[in-house]
Amino acid sequence: MTDDNPTCPDLWELDNGDIAVIGRDLTAEYASRLPVDVSIGTDERLVVLPRRMLIAAKDDIPHE
């Protein structure tokens, strides 16, 4: 789910089945605008992926 552009977002499945994500870290920009029931842990970051990327990956994401 990537191309040769070294700055493009990416996602892939790890050996253990978890999904790894590379995207823009917008934690600081969005922290004050999160819904009241959403929080970001000290070891977490809010990562934004382009909508078109997730739509393109939809067929490759397992449903189970």
Side-chain angles (χ1 to χ4, degrees):
M1 204 50 234
T2 188
D3 60 27
D4 292 332
N5 181 346
T7 63
C8 70
D10 202 354
L11 58 97
W12 68 98
E13 186 171 354
L14 301 173
D15 291 339
N16 68 359
D18 288 348
I19 304 300
V21 176
I22 297 173
R24 295 179 295 144
D25 179 356
L26 295 177
T27 305
E29 288 83 349
Y30 282 90
S32 65
R33 299 186 284 168
L34 295 174
V36 288
D37 59 340
V38 174
S39 61
I40 301 172
T42 57
D43 62 339
E44 298 175 329
R45 296 291 174 263
L46 185 147
V47 177
V48 174
L49 301 173
R51 182 178 191 275
R52 65 182 172 358
M53 179 185 160
L54 237 40
I55 290 171
K58 185 177 179 181
D59 291 338
D60 296 323
I61 298 172
H63 294 100
E64 317 174 2

